[in-house]
Every structure is written in C-alpha cells, then in structure tokens.
Amino acid sequence: MTDAQETAADSPLRTTGGAPPDDVETAPIPLLEPRDGIPPVIADDASLAEVIAAFAAGSGPVAVDAERASGYRYGQRAYLVQLRRQGAGTALIDPAACSDLSGLGEAISGVEWVLHAATQDLPCLREIGMVPTRLFDTELAGRLAGFPRVGLGAMVESVLGFVLEKGHSAVDWSTRPLPEPWLRYAALDVELLVDLRDALEKELDRQGKLEWAQQEFEAIASAPPAEPRKDPWRRTSGMHKVRRRRQMAAVRELWQTRDRIAQRRDVSPGKVLGDAAIVEAALALPPNVHALASVNGFGHRMGRRQLEQWQTAIDRAKALSETELPQPGQPVTGPPPPRAWADKDPAAAARLSAARAAVSALAEQLNMPQENLIAPDTVRRVCWEPPKPLDAASVAAVLAGYGARAWQIEQVTPVLLPALSARS
C-alpha cells in the first residue's frame, strides 16, 4: 500500500466528523476574531497605493478572497476583495470604488495566492486585473486529502480548531456602506487561510499526494478564461417542459429581453422575471396582453408597460419563419447520454459500467471523490470511443488529450485499460 492509499483514520488531522465519546470532556471551540481588528475598507487610490506597497513588502503566501452579489446584481463581479499576508496584515478593498486592481495583482503576481474554491473567485478577480501565476486551493486540497466536508468553516474547525462566524455568505455585498458584522465575516475568511494551507500541505505530503495537488493548482492557474456559454437561454429552469420549436423561440425571446433589462438595471435576472414565468408564457403563447396577465408570474403587480414588453417578445417568436426557429437540442459534441448507450452500443455500455466501477474502487482506495480522480466526462468519452490499438500508451495519450493531469493518467490508466476490454 502506498502513502496515498493510507486511510484517513491514520491522519493526524481531524478529517472525519462525529461526536466524541460520552466519557470524554471537550472544551468549546473558540469563535475566531480578527487578530488585527477590522481594517477600514479601501476605497480611494491613495489608500490603495499604500496597500499595494505593504503587500509587495510582505512575506510568504497571500490569502485572497472575493465577495459577489449573486442573486442581487447582474453578473458575477466582485464587490469586496479581501487579502492577508504576513507583514502586511489584512486589507479589505472596494472594487466598486477601485475598479482597477492590476497594480495590486502585479505586486503579488510572483507570490503564491491561497484561495478557497479558487475557480469560483478567479473570474471576478480577473475582471479587476488580478490574475495569479501560482496558487494553492484549500478546498481542492481538502478534497484530495479525503476530507468529508470541505467548506471553509468546516475545514478551519476540523483542522485548526476555530469556529468561523457564519451567516453572511449570501448577503447583498453591493450594499454601501457595508455593515460592520459583514466586514468582520469578510476579514475572517482570510484570517487563517495561510495557516490552513500549511496544515493541508503537510497532510497531502504525508499521504503522498502533494505532487498531485501541485499539478491541479498549476492547471487552475494556467487555465484560460471560460468561453461564453452557447445559447444560455436553453438552461432556463423548467426547459424540459418546452417541446415545440415555436415555444422554444418564445423562451429565447423572453430570456434575451429579461437579460437586457437586468443588465440595464444592474439586477439579478431572476428579480426581473422568474424562469417559471418564462416557461409558462412560452407554453401558453398568449395572443395579447390581457391573456398574458392571466399567466402565472405576470399578473401580480405587473404594470401595463411591463406586460407589453413581454408580449412584444412573445409576438417576435410568433412572427419567426420555420427556418428561424431554434432546433430542439443543442449540437452534441460528445457521446450520447449514458442512459441511451445500452440501445445504441451495448459494448460501449459494458465498457462504461466496468470503467465506472473501477474508478469508484480506486477513488475509495485513494480516499478522494471520483470526480477529482478523473473527470466523469473524460471516462465517458474514452469508453464511447476507445483508442486503437488499445494499450497503456494509447489510453494515456487519450486521457492527456482530454486534459487529464499526469498524476491522474498514472493512477487511472491501469484500471481503465481492462475496463475498456469489457464485453457486453
């Protein structure tokens, strides 16, 4: 058994939950408070310049976090950026007032950034000029190390023995001025992030997974920005109810109208019109404003002008020619849904079944989630169309082509190879 295959029970960190035995007295876990108090929010160029100088002169990794206003504002931009570094302390920066943080990003560009769930924050940080060249993701590290709960609060408590203040993660961070309890919460998000990083690095090293984690972090840091989603209106909740192409066109017109209004008003699209209302109107295709007012989601406190703009969108869909109507499904670039494999290709279905079982067993052996061991989509693609000739080198090459990291290829290839030879 390799170091990476040791069970979590051997770990010096508390990676599993559960109550202590009845005969063991436990002291209450202390609620964490900011060591340096709550710093003032940086909202002008002169103060920002001081922060840049302080963080450039600091030492060690930089803890970085960002707060968005999801569900309140249009888009996913940052409304507060939090940083902490030894020698510089904690900084809270208002991106609404200091919209260009590229100077700060450059000052710490060669330094390792410590983030929790980095892929969630990197897009909004990129928008304001902050792009790391090196990073450590404490959430991903927790997954690789086998922690059952990888939220920041849970990990700080289980690894470091402190309780983070809760309750403000889903607030409207575009609020100004930001209330003091929110600022305390924000400062605490970076308070112990470097300490958590150091503890997780030791645990990953103990399990023989540190090199694996470093490959994952490098892949995140070097990944290009995500491409804009094609036909985002197709992801409208309840879209599965819409079968006719004319109705699909109505969903598209209503979704695009809502998006323009939300962007202009800088509010979450759901606050303009709910997905359920869009689907109901598309299914009904009302002939006029009066009929639209009787559709769920439109009649309650909606003025005549608002009703008219939605009816206009529906009328545009009605006026489209057959050739202008959207097609029922998005173009398929990969294999069909697995539920259809047994009918379309029984041999591929057998390969997939064997591969899933093998990957699941290996993930359990390595004490990590299957999706972190290898992307499920990669497994489906290689099972649908295995390489020829079928050998370790060809499987490894295909996995690399789908973006698998070297450590994943090394671990997964030996168990995928026999699975790809499975017969129905």
Side-chain angles (χ1 to χ4, degrees), residues 41-395:
V41 177
I42 303 302
D44 62 79
D45 292 341
S47 300
L48 178 60
E50 293 178 5
V51 166
I52 292 174
F55 275 80
S59 61
V62 180
V64 182
D65 191 27
E67 306 294 348
R68 298 175 296 279
S70 304
Y72 297 93
R73 295 290 181 175
Y74 184 85
Q76 294 295 317
R77 64 183 178 276
Y79 281 94
L80 189 71
V81 174
Q82 309 101 280
L83 304 97
R84 183 175 179 86
R85 190 181 192 191
Q86 185 174 347
T90 298
L92 304 179
I93 303 175
D94 180 3
C98 303
S99 59
D100 182 6
L101 298 186
S102 57
L104 176 59
E106 291 170 5
I108 58 174
S109 64
V111 178
E112 180 186 83
W113 297 16
V114 184
L115 301 100
H116 193 81
T119 54
Q120 295 183 19
D121 287 340
L122 288 179
C124 69
L125 290 171
R126 185 187 297 271
E127 284 185 5
I128 53 179
M130 296 185 64
V131 183
T133 55
R134 298 166 49 210
L135 64 83
F136 190 107
D137 186 333
T138 50
E139 191 231 26
L140 181 52
R143 290 178 178 276
L144 295 175
F147 282 75
R149 297 166 61 220
V150 294
L152 180 59
M155 295 196 68
V156 166
E157 183 174 334
S158 64
V159 177
L160 302 177
F162 287 94
V163 174
L164 287 178
E165 187 173 333
K166 300 177 182 178
H168 301 303
S169 60
V171 299
D172 181 2
W173 286 96
S174 68
T175 301
R176 294 296 183 271
L178 287 164
E180 182 176 308
W182 300 11
L183 295 175
R184 178 183 296 106
Y185 167 91
L188 290 174
D189 270 359
V190 292
E191 183 78 15
L192 293 179
L193 210 47
V194 173
D195 302 71
L196 180 61
R197 171 237 180 271
D198 293 344
L200 289 172
E201 182 180 59
K202 291 178 182 177
E203 177 63 8
L204 288 168
D205 189 39
R206 189 196 69 79
Q207 293 187 23
K209 298 175 181 176
L210 183 56
E211 171 60 28
W212 301 358
Q214 290 169 342
Q215 291 182 31
E216 293 297 301
F217 302 155
E218 183 178 352
I220 295 173
S222 61
E227 293 288 332
R229 194 184 300 276
K230 181 177 174 60
D231 291 345
W233 58 269
R234 292 183 183 272
R235 297 178 64 85
T236 303
S237 180
M239 190 69 189
H240 63 281
K241 301 176 186 177
V242 183
R243 303 299 178 87
R244 291 162 46 197
R245 293 173 64 200
R246 186 75 58 185
Q247 294 171 333
M248 292 173 61
V251 171
R252 181 178 64 187
E253 294 295 334
L254 288 165
W255 190 98
Q256 291 175 346
T257 299
R258 179 183 70 174
D259 194 65
R260 287 191 294 270
I261 295 170
Q263 187 170 13
R264 185 177 70 247
R265 291 169 48 188
D266 190 20
V267 296
S268 169
K271 290 188 174 296
V272 175
L273 187 68
D275 280 9
I278 288 179
V279 170
E280 289 296 321
L283 292 174
L285 291 176
N288 51 48
V289 168
H290 179 73
L292 178 61
S294 65
V295 175
N296 287 339
F298 288 89
H300 183 61
R301 290 187 297 183
M302 187 173 286
R304 175 84 183 186
R305 174 180 287 185
Q306 291 176 295
L307 288 170
E308 286 176 349
Q309 69 185 0
W310 302 123
Q311 185 63 46
T312 298
I314 294 169
D315 291 342
R316 282 198 301 269
K318 290 180 179 181
L320 295 174
S321 67
E322 286 293 322
T323 58
E324 294 174 308
L325 296 177
Q327 294 301 316
Q330 293 175 288
V332 177
T333 57
R339 62 179 178 272
W341 286 30
D343 293 330
K344 290 180 177 290
D345 190 338
R351 291 192 294 267
L352 182 61
S353 178
R356 282 175 163 173
V359 169
S360 177
L362 179 58
E364 184 175 354
Q365 187 180 15
L366 297 177
N367 191 32
M368 70 173 64
Q370 295 180 42
E371 62 270 20
N372 293 114
L373 175 58
I374 190 72
D377 182 65
T378 296
V379 175
R380 287 192 293 269
R381 288 174 183 269
V382 74
C383 287
W384 182 252
E385 193 173 355
K388 295 179 182 179
L390 184 60
D391 54 33
S394 63
V395 172

